[in-house]
Amino acid sequence: MNQNKHRGRAVGAFTAYRIERVHARLTAQGSAILKAHCDLTLRQWWIIADIAEMKPETATELSRVADVDKGLLSRNLKTLVNLGYVSMERDSRDHRQQLINLTPEGWEIYRSTLPIMNQRNEKLTKNMSGKDVDALLSSLDKIEAAASILEP
């Protein structure tokens, strides 16, 4: 990246600042794409995709593996249940747990929107080589690990 682009603006060279800006643009773009194809927010789509791909049994497990705040997850799951995309029922072995599953409608919305989201991902990385994409993902893994360490 051209460091001169951010010369004179200290925050412009901050990794977290740049990631936050990219995140905001990605969220706006993803939301617009989904709005054109279905009634889901981007967060709701990610939750459906996480359930479809990771097959967590409980909301607690989904919160952990998807690294989503429990409150945010709970609110979105409630909406997805009301939309008919997710079912939740008490675990008969542990009544504190909620078992989660995609409904047939949830699987259908996932299958119908996955190609659209895959196409979006391909467009985002079309000017990058496979090696560049691997390096980006590796760098994001390292930044995520470093950000997981809470230091004052």
mmCIF file of all heavy atoms in Angstrom, residues 57-98:
data_model
loop_
_atom_site.group_PDB
_atom_site.id
_atom_site.type_symbol
_atom_site.label_atom_id
_atom_site.label_comp_id
_atom_site.label_asym_id
_atom_site.label_seq_id
_atom_site.Cartn_x
_atom_site.Cartn_y
_atom_site.Cartn_z
ATOM 1 N N GLU A 57 -24.890 -26.839 18.002
ATOM 2 C CA GLU A 57 -26.140 -27.384 18.544
ATOM 3 C C GLU A 57 -26.891 -26.372 19.395
ATOM 4 O O GLU A 57 -28.111 -26.408 19.453
ATOM 5 C CB GLU A 57 -25.848 -28.638 19.366
ATOM 6 C CG GLU A 57 -25.394 -29.803 18.513
ATOM 7 C CD GLU A 57 -25.276 -31.079 19.317
ATOM 8 O OE1 GLU A 57 -25.638 -31.090 20.515
ATOM 9 O OE2 GLU A 57 -24.816 -32.069 18.744
ATOM 10 N N THR A 58 -26.158 -25.486 20.063
ATOM 11 C CA THR A 58 -26.802 -24.544 20.975
ATOM 12 C C THR A 58 -26.427 -23.109 20.631
ATOM 13 O O THR A 58 -25.424 -22.855 19.965
ATOM 14 C CB THR A 58 -26.392 -24.812 22.434
ATOM 15 O OG1 THR A 58 -24.992 -24.545 22.567
ATOM 16 C CG2 THR A 58 -26.698 -26.251 22.847
ATOM 17 N N ALA A 59 -27.228 -22.177 21.132
ATOM 18 C CA ALA A 59 -26.923 -20.763 20.943
ATOM 19 C C ALA A 59 -25.608 -20.410 21.626
ATOM 20 O O ALA A 59 -24.831 -19.604 21.104
ATOM 21 C CB ALA A 59 -28.065 -19.911 21.481
ATOM 22 N N THR A 60 -25.334 -21.024 22.761
ATOM 23 C CA THR A 60 -24.077 -20.770 23.471
ATOM 24 C C THR A 60 -22.889 -21.200 22.623
ATOM 25 O O THR A 60 -21.890 -20.484 22.505
ATOM 26 C CB THR A 60 -24.062 -21.507 24.824
ATOM 27 O OG1 THR A 60 -25.161 -21.031 25.605
ATOM 28 C CG2 THR A 60 -22.766 -21.287 25.573
ATOM 29 N N GLU A 61 -22.996 -22.364 22.010
ATOM 30 C CA GLU A 61 -21.919 -22.862 21.151
ATOM 31 C C GLU A 61 -21.750 -21.962 19.929
ATOM 32 O O GLU A 61 -20.634 -21.639 19.535
ATOM 33 C CB GLU A 61 -22.220 -24.297 20.723
ATOM 34 C CG GLU A 61 -21.116 -24.926 19.911
ATOM 35 C CD GLU A 61 -21.456 -26.343 19.458
ATOM 36 O OE1 GLU A 61 -22.460 -26.920 19.916
ATOM 37 O OE2 GLU A 61 -20.710 -26.863 18.624
ATOM 38 N N LEU A 62 -22.852 -21.519 19.342
ATOM 39 C CA LEU A 62 -22.775 -20.611 18.195
ATOM 40 C C LEU A 62 -22.094 -19.314 18.596
ATOM 41 O O LEU A 62 -21.234 -18.807 17.870
ATOM 42 C CB LEU A 62 -24.170 -20.332 17.634
ATOM 43 C CG LEU A 62 -24.231 -19.320 16.489
ATOM 44 C CD1 LEU A 62 -23.407 -19.789 15.295
ATOM 45 C CD2 LEU A 62 -25.680 -19.075 16.085
ATOM 46 N N SER A 63 -22.439 -18.777 19.745
ATOM 47 C CA SER A 63 -21.816 -17.543 20.228
ATOM 48 C C SER A 63 -20.308 -17.715 20.349
ATOM 49 O O SER A 63 -19.541 -16.835 19.962
ATOM 50 C CB SER A 63 -22.413 -17.155 21.579
ATOM 51 O OG SER A 63 -21.755 -16.043 22.111
ATOM 52 N N ARG A 64 -19.891 -18.865 20.853
ATOM 53 C CA ARG A 64 -18.462 -19.129 21.047
ATOM 54 C C ARG A 64 -17.727 -19.334 19.710
ATOM 55 O O ARG A 64 -16.727 -18.692 19.457
ATOM 56 C CB ARG A 64 -18.267 -20.341 21.956
ATOM 57 C CG ARG A 64 -16.827 -20.594 22.347
ATOM 58 C CD ARG A 64 -16.637 -21.787 23.280
ATOM 59 N NE ARG A 64 -17.007 -23.047 22.650
ATOM 60 C CZ ARG A 64 -18.131 -23.730 22.875
ATOM 61 N NH1 ARG A 64 -19.037 -23.284 23.724
ATOM 62 N NH2 ARG A 64 -18.379 -24.859 22.257
ATOM 63 N N VAL A 65 -18.241 -20.203 18.857
ATOM 64 C CA VAL A 65 -17.517 -20.514 17.617
ATOM 65 C C VAL A 65 -17.566 -19.371 16.612
ATOM 66 O O VAL A 65 -16.630 -19.183 15.837
ATOM 67 C CB VAL A 65 -17.976 -21.841 16.972
ATOM 68 C CG1 VAL A 65 -17.713 -23.002 17.879
ATOM 69 C CG2 VAL A 65 -19.420 -21.798 16.545
ATOM 70 N N ALA A 66 -18.655 -18.605 16.619
ATOM 71 C CA ALA A 66 -18.772 -17.483 15.689
ATOM 72 C C ALA A 66 -18.208 -16.195 16.272
ATOM 73 O O ALA A 66 -18.106 -15.189 15.576
ATOM 74 C CB ALA A 66 -20.231 -17.280 15.294
ATOM 75 N N ASP A 67 -17.855 -16.228 17.561
ATOM 76 C CA ASP A 67 -17.312 -15.077 18.262
ATOM 77 C C ASP A 67 -18.264 -13.873 18.152
ATOM 78 O O ASP A 67 -17.876 -12.788 17.759
ATOM 79 C CB ASP A 67 -15.920 -14.725 17.743
ATOM 80 C CG ASP A 67 -15.146 -13.847 18.716
ATOM 81 O OD1 ASP A 67 -15.535 -13.776 19.902
ATOM 82 O OD2 ASP A 67 -14.153 -13.226 18.293
ATOM 83 N N VAL A 68 -19.526 -14.139 18.502
ATOM 84 C CA VAL A 68 -20.575 -13.122 18.465
ATOM 85 C C VAL A 68 -21.047 -12.872 19.891
ATOM 86 O O VAL A 68 -21.253 -13.813 20.649
ATOM 87 C CB VAL A 68 -21.767 -13.586 17.596
ATOM 88 C CG1 VAL A 68 -22.882 -12.560 17.592
ATOM 89 C CG2 VAL A 68 -21.316 -13.875 16.182
ATOM 90 N N ASP A 69 -21.218 -11.616 20.239
ATOM 91 C CA ASP A 69 -21.740 -11.238 21.541
ATOM 92 C C ASP A 69 -23.072 -11.931 21.786
ATOM 93 O O ASP A 69 -23.944 -11.958 20.902
ATOM 94 C CB ASP A 69 -21.916 -9.718 21.577
ATOM 95 C CG ASP A 69 -22.593 -9.235 22.837
ATOM 96 O OD1 ASP A 69 -21.925 -9.206 23.886
ATOM 97 O OD2 ASP A 69 -23.800 -8.910 22.747
ATOM 98 N N LYS A 70 -23.248 -12.497 22.992
ATOM 99 C CA LYS A 70 -24.465 -13.261 23.308
ATOM 100 C C LYS A 70 -25.732 -12.417 23.179
ATOM 101 O O LYS A 70 -26.757 -12.892 22.703
ATOM 102 C CB LYS A 70 -24.367 -13.865 24.701
ATOM 103 C CG LYS A 70 -23.423 -15.033 24.781
ATOM 104 C CD LYS A 70 -23.400 -15.620 26.176
ATOM 105 C CE LYS A 70 -22.392 -16.760 26.250
ATOM 106 N NZ LYS A 70 -22.361 -17.367 27.580
ATOM 107 N N GLY A 71 -25.687 -11.167 23.614
ATOM 108 C CA GLY A 71 -26.859 -10.301 23.511
ATOM 109 C C GLY A 71 -27.226 -10.017 22.064
ATOM 110 O O GLY A 71 -28.399 -10.103 21.680
ATOM 111 N N LEU A 72 -26.242 -9.673 21.263
ATOM 112 C CA LEU A 72 -26.464 -9.415 19.838
ATOM 113 C C LEU A 72 -26.985 -10.671 19.154
ATOM 114 O O LEU A 72 -27.925 -10.621 18.358
ATOM 115 C CB LEU A 72 -25.163 -8.943 19.180
ATOM 116 C CG LEU A 72 -25.192 -8.698 17.684
ATOM 117 C CD1 LEU A 72 -26.130 -7.551 17.352
ATOM 118 C CD2 LEU A 72 -23.789 -8.408 17.172
ATOM 119 N N LEU A 73 -26.390 -11.805 19.487
ATOM 120 C CA LEU A 73 -26.832 -13.071 18.907
ATOM 121 C C LEU A 73 -28.268 -13.370 19.300
ATOM 122 O O LEU A 73 -29.091 -13.741 18.453
ATOM 123 C CB LEU A 73 -25.905 -14.206 19.343
ATOM 124 C CG LEU A 73 -26.286 -15.592 18.843
ATOM 125 C CD1 LEU A 73 -26.238 -15.662 17.322
ATOM 126 C CD2 LEU A 73 -25.361 -16.638 19.452
ATOM 127 N N SER A 74 -28.596 -13.203 20.562
ATOM 128 C CA SER A 74 -29.936 -13.494 21.059
ATOM 129 C C SER A 74 -30.989 -12.664 20.327
ATOM 130 O O SER A 74 -32.033 -13.188 19.907
ATOM 131 C CB SER A 74 -29.999 -13.237 22.562
ATOM 132 O OG SER A 74 -31.288 -13.469 23.045
ATOM 133 N N ARG A 75 -30.736 -11.372 20.172
ATOM 134 C CA ARG A 75 -31.684 -10.494 19.477
ATOM 135 C C ARG A 75 -31.876 -10.934 18.023
ATOM 136 O O ARG A 75 -32.996 -10.977 17.509
ATOM 137 C CB ARG A 75 -31.223 -9.038 19.530
ATOM 138 C CG ARG A 75 -31.358 -8.407 20.901
ATOM 139 C CD ARG A 75 -31.044 -6.926 20.884
ATOM 140 N NE ARG A 75 -29.685 -6.606 20.473
ATOM 141 C CZ ARG A 75 -28.623 -6.638 21.281
ATOM 142 N NH1 ARG A 75 -28.754 -6.995 22.543
ATOM 143 N NH2 ARG A 75 -27.427 -6.316 20.831
ATOM 144 N N ASN A 76 -30.771 -11.265 17.363
ATOM 145 C CA ASN A 76 -30.859 -11.678 15.963
ATOM 146 C C ASN A 76 -31.508 -13.044 15.813
ATOM 147 O O ASN A 76 -32.272 -13.275 14.868
ATOM 148 C CB ASN A 76 -29.480 -11.642 15.303
ATOM 149 C CG ASN A 76 -29.099 -10.244 14.903
ATOM 150 O OD1 ASN A 76 -29.569 -9.740 13.891
ATOM 151 N ND2 ASN A 76 -28.261 -9.596 15.701
ATOM 152 N N LEU A 77 -31.221 -13.961 16.730
ATOM 153 C CA LEU A 77 -31.868 -15.269 16.674
ATOM 154 C C LEU A 77 -33.380 -15.128 16.846
ATOM 155 O O LEU A 77 -34.155 -15.797 16.161
ATOM 156 C CB LEU A 77 -31.297 -16.214 17.729
ATOM 157 C CG LEU A 77 -29.951 -16.849 17.405
ATOM 158 C CD1 LEU A 77 -29.421 -17.618 18.606
ATOM 159 C CD2 LEU A 77 -30.040 -17.747 16.170
ATOM 160 N N LYS A 78 -33.802 -14.257 17.739
ATOM 161 C CA LYS A 78 -35.240 -14.029 17.949
ATOM 162 C C LYS A 78 -35.888 -13.558 16.647
ATOM 163 O O LYS A 78 -36.963 -14.045 16.261
ATOM 164 C CB LYS A 78 -35.463 -13.009 19.066
ATOM 165 C CG LYS A 78 -36.912 -12.766 19.388
ATOM 166 C CD LYS A 78 -37.077 -11.806 20.552
ATOM 167 C CE LYS A 78 -38.556 -11.599 20.841
ATOM 168 N NZ LYS A 78 -38.778 -10.680 21.945
ATOM 169 N N THR A 79 -35.237 -12.637 15.968
ATOM 170 C CA THR A 79 -35.757 -12.152 14.691
ATOM 171 C C THR A 79 -35.793 -13.276 13.661
ATOM 172 O O THR A 79 -36.786 -13.430 12.931
ATOM 173 C CB THR A 79 -34.897 -10.978 14.164
ATOM 174 O OG1 THR A 79 -34.941 -9.917 15.117
ATOM 175 C CG2 THR A 79 -35.389 -10.485 12.813
ATOM 176 N N LEU A 80 -34.730 -14.076 13.598
ATOM 177 C CA LEU A 80 -34.676 -15.173 12.629
ATOM 178 C C LEU A 80 -35.729 -16.241 12.923
ATOM 179 O O LEU A 80 -36.277 -16.844 11.996
ATOM 180 C CB LEU A 80 -33.274 -15.778 12.594
ATOM 181 C CG LEU A 80 -32.191 -14.862 12.010
ATOM 182 C CD1 LEU A 80 -30.803 -15.436 12.241
ATOM 183 C CD2 LEU A 80 -32.443 -14.604 10.528
ATOM 184 N N VAL A 81 -36.032 -16.465 14.203
ATOM 185 C CA VAL A 81 -37.122 -17.372 14.573
ATOM 186 C C VAL A 81 -38.449 -16.787 14.085
ATOM 187 O O VAL A 81 -39.269 -17.491 13.477
ATOM 188 C CB VAL A 81 -37.144 -17.630 16.097
ATOM 189 C CG1 VAL A 81 -38.438 -18.299 16.525
ATOM 190 C CG2 VAL A 81 -35.941 -18.466 16.513
ATOM 191 N N ASN A 82 -38.657 -15.492 14.330
ATOM 192 C CA ASN A 82 -39.905 -14.838 13.901
ATOM 193 C C ASN A 82 -40.065 -14.835 12.384
ATOM 194 O O ASN A 82 -41.189 -14.903 11.879
ATOM 195 C CB ASN A 82 -39.989 -13.414 14.449
ATOM 196 C CG ASN A 82 -40.201 -13.371 15.941
ATOM 197 O OD1 ASN A 82 -40.692 -14.325 16.540
ATOM 198 N ND2 ASN A 82 -39.817 -12.275 16.562
ATOM 199 N N LEU A 83 -38.950 -14.777 11.658
ATOM 200 C CA LEU A 83 -39.000 -14.825 10.195
ATOM 201 C C LEU A 83 -39.203 -16.250 9.679
ATOM 202 O O LEU A 83 -39.464 -16.459 8.493
ATOM 203 C CB LEU A 83 -37.707 -14.243 9.598
ATOM 204 C CG LEU A 83 -37.517 -12.739 9.731
ATOM 205 C CD1 LEU A 83 -36.096 -12.341 9.333
ATOM 206 C CD2 LEU A 83 -38.548 -12.000 8.886
ATOM 207 N N GLY A 84 -39.035 -17.231 10.567
ATOM 208 C CA GLY A 84 -39.225 -18.619 10.180
ATOM 209 C C GLY A 84 -37.984 -19.299 9.629
ATOM 210 O O GLY A 84 -38.084 -20.377 9.036
ATOM 211 N N TYR A 85 -36.805 -18.693 9.825
ATOM 212 C CA TYR A 85 -35.565 -19.256 9.288
ATOM 213 C C TYR A 85 -34.812 -20.135 10.286
ATOM 214 O O TYR A 85 -33.992 -20.962 9.896
ATOM 215 C CB TYR A 85 -34.632 -18.148 8.807
ATOM 216 C CG TYR A 85 -35.197 -17.341 7.660
ATOM 217 C CD1 TYR A 85 -35.056 -15.966 7.610
ATOM 218 C CD2 TYR A 85 -35.883 -17.962 6.621
ATOM 219 C CE1 TYR A 85 -35.573 -15.229 6.557
ATOM 220 C CE2 TYR A 85 -36.405 -17.227 5.570
ATOM 221 C CZ TYR A 85 -36.245 -15.868 5.544
ATOM 222 O OH TYR A 85 -36.757 -15.145 4.500
ATOM 223 N N VAL A 86 -35.065 -19.932 11.561
ATOM 224 C CA VAL A 86 -34.364 -20.675 12.614
ATOM 225 C C VAL A 86 -35.402 -21.195 13.598
ATOM 226 O O VAL A 86 -36.387 -20.522 13.890
ATOM 227 C CB VAL A 86 -33.349 -19.764 13.352
ATOM 228 C CG1 VAL A 86 -32.747 -20.458 14.565
ATOM 229 C CG2 VAL A 86 -32.244 -19.314 12.400
ATOM 230 N N SER A 87 -35.162 -22.409 14.084
ATOM 231 C CA SER A 87 -35.999 -22.942 15.161
ATOM 232 C C SER A 87 -35.141 -23.056 16.411
ATOM 233 O O SER A 87 -33.939 -23.321 16.333
ATOM 234 C CB SER A 87 -36.569 -24.314 14.788
ATOM 235 O OG SER A 87 -35.544 -25.279 14.693
ATOM 236 N N MET A 88 -35.770 -22.803 17.550
ATOM 237 C CA MET A 88 -35.091 -22.921 18.837
ATOM 238 C C MET A 88 -36.009 -23.674 19.789
ATOM 239 O O MET A 88 -37.209 -23.397 19.835
ATOM 240 C CB MET A 88 -34.768 -21.540 19.413
ATOM 241 C CG MET A 88 -33.770 -20.763 18.600
ATOM 242 S SD MET A 88 -33.395 -19.134 19.305
ATOM 243 C CE MET A 88 -32.507 -19.589 20.767
ATOM 244 N N GLU A 89 -35.426 -24.612 20.505
ATOM 245 C CA GLU A 89 -36.193 -25.338 21.513
ATOM 246 C C GLU A 89 -35.283 -25.681 22.674
ATOM 247 O O GLU A 89 -34.070 -25.796 22.514
ATOM 248 C CB GLU A 89 -36.826 -26.597 20.920
ATOM 249 C CG GLU A 89 -35.817 -27.576 20.352
ATOM 250 C CD GLU A 89 -36.487 -28.750 19.650
ATOM 251 O OE1 GLU A 89 -37.180 -28.524 18.659
ATOM 252 O OE2 GLU A 89 -36.281 -29.872 20.126
ATOM 253 N N ARG A 90 -35.867 -25.817 23.831
ATOM 254 C CA ARG A 90 -35.101 -26.165 25.028
ATOM 255 C C ARG A 90 -34.498 -27.550 24.880
ATOM 256 O O ARG A 90 -35.144 -28.475 24.402
ATOM 257 C CB ARG A 90 -35.991 -26.150 26.269
ATOM 258 C CG ARG A 90 -36.392 -24.783 26.701
ATOM 259 C CD ARG A 90 -35.424 -24.233 27.732
ATOM 260 N NE ARG A 90 -35.781 -22.853 27.996
ATOM 261 C CZ ARG A 90 -34.914 -21.869 28.018
ATOM 262 N NH1 ARG A 90 -33.646 -22.093 27.823
ATOM 263 N NH2 ARG A 90 -35.298 -20.648 28.265
ATOM 264 N N ASP A 91 -33.247 -27.675 25.305
ATOM 265 C CA ASP A 91 -32.563 -28.964 25.321
ATOM 266 C C ASP A 91 -33.181 -29.816 26.428
ATOM 267 O O ASP A 91 -33.228 -29.387 27.591
ATOM 268 C CB ASP A 91 -31.071 -28.738 25.573
ATOM 269 C CG ASP A 91 -30.239 -29.992 25.487
ATOM 270 O OD1 ASP A 91 -30.798 -31.105 25.574
ATOM 271 O OD2 ASP A 91 -29.011 -29.864 25.341
ATOM 272 N N SER A 92 -33.650 -31.003 26.089
ATOM 273 C CA SER A 92 -34.301 -31.856 27.093
ATOM 274 C C SER A 92 -33.307 -32.349 28.146
ATOM 275 O O SER A 92 -33.692 -32.678 29.259
ATOM 276 C CB SER A 92 -34.972 -33.055 26.416
ATOM 277 O OG SER A 92 -34.003 -33.843 25.751
ATOM 278 N N ARG A 93 -32.011 -32.369 27.819
ATOM 279 C CA ARG A 93 -30.992 -32.803 28.775
ATOM 280 C C ARG A 93 -30.503 -31.658 29.659
ATOM 281 O O ARG A 93 -30.091 -31.870 30.778
ATOM 282 C CB ARG A 93 -29.794 -33.423 28.037
ATOM 283 C CG ARG A 93 -30.159 -34.697 27.267
ATOM 284 C CD ARG A 93 -29.070 -35.042 26.299
ATOM 285 N NE ARG A 93 -29.064 -33.977 25.271
ATOM 286 C CZ ARG A 93 -28.144 -33.803 24.359
ATOM 287 N NH1 ARG A 93 -27.102 -34.575 24.320
ATOM 288 N NH2 ARG A 93 -28.234 -32.856 23.468
ATOM 289 N N ASP A 94 -30.516 -30.449 29.115
ATOM 290 C CA ASP A 94 -30.047 -29.281 29.864
ATOM 291 C C ASP A 94 -30.993 -28.125 29.544
ATOM 292 O O ASP A 94 -30.831 -27.456 28.524
ATOM 293 C CB ASP A 94 -28.601 -28.940 29.470
ATOM 294 C CG ASP A 94 -28.044 -27.754 30.243
ATOM 295 O OD1 ASP A 94 -28.807 -27.086 30.979
ATOM 296 O OD2 ASP A 94 -26.836 -27.483 30.099
ATOM 297 N N HIS A 95 -31.951 -27.902 30.413
ATOM 298 C CA HIS A 95 -32.999 -26.916 30.153
ATOM 299 C C HIS A 95 -32.485 -25.478 30.082
ATOM 300 O O HIS A 95 -33.223 -24.586 29.687
ATOM 301 C CB HIS A 95 -34.118 -27.033 31.191
ATOM 302 C CG HIS A 95 -34.832 -28.337 31.102
ATOM 303 N ND1 HIS A 95 -35.721 -28.624 30.097
ATOM 304 C CD2 HIS A 95 -34.781 -29.457 31.868
ATOM 305 C CE1 HIS A 95 -36.190 -29.836 30.240
ATOM 306 N NE2 HIS A 95 -35.635 -30.382 31.310
ATOM 307 N N ARG A 96 -31.228 -25.273 30.457
ATOM 308 C CA ARG A 96 -30.649 -23.924 30.344
ATOM 309 C C ARG A 96 -30.251 -23.618 28.901
ATOM 310 O O ARG A 96 -30.072 -22.464 28.536
ATOM 311 C CB ARG A 96 -29.415 -23.795 31.240
ATOM 312 C CG ARG A 96 -29.713 -23.948 32.724
ATOM 313 C CD ARG A 96 -28.433 -24.064 33.503
ATOM 314 N NE ARG A 96 -27.738 -25.284 33.074
ATOM 315 C CZ ARG A 96 -26.484 -25.585 33.369
ATOM 316 N NH1 ARG A 96 -25.762 -24.774 34.096
ATOM 317 N NH2 ARG A 96 -25.938 -26.709 32.951
ATOM 318 N N GLN A 97 -30.094 -24.648 28.092
ATOM 319 C CA GLN A 97 -29.613 -24.489 26.717
ATOM 320 C C GLN A 97 -30.763 -24.441 25.713
ATOM 321 O O GLN A 97 -31.786 -25.089 25.900
ATOM 322 C CB GLN A 97 -28.685 -25.654 26.339
ATOM 323 C CG GLN A 97 -27.396 -25.703 27.125
ATOM 324 C CD GLN A 97 -26.487 -24.528 26.812
ATOM 325 O OE1 GLN A 97 -26.435 -24.020 25.691
ATOM 326 N NE2 GLN A 97 -25.766 -24.071 27.815
ATOM 327 N N GLN A 98 -30.552 -23.665 24.664
ATOM 328 C CA GLN A 98 -31.489 -23.599 23.546
ATOM 329 C C GLN A 98 -30.852 -24.303 22.354
ATOM 330 O O GLN A 98 -29.763 -23.930 21.916
ATOM 331 C CB GLN A 98 -31.759 -22.139 23.162
ATOM 332 C CG GLN A 98 -32.529 -21.355 24.170
ATOM 333 C CD GLN A 98 -34.020 -21.543 24.000
ATOM 334 O OE1 GLN A 98 -34.502 -21.983 22.969
ATOM 335 N NE2 GLN A 98 -34.761 -21.214 25.036
#
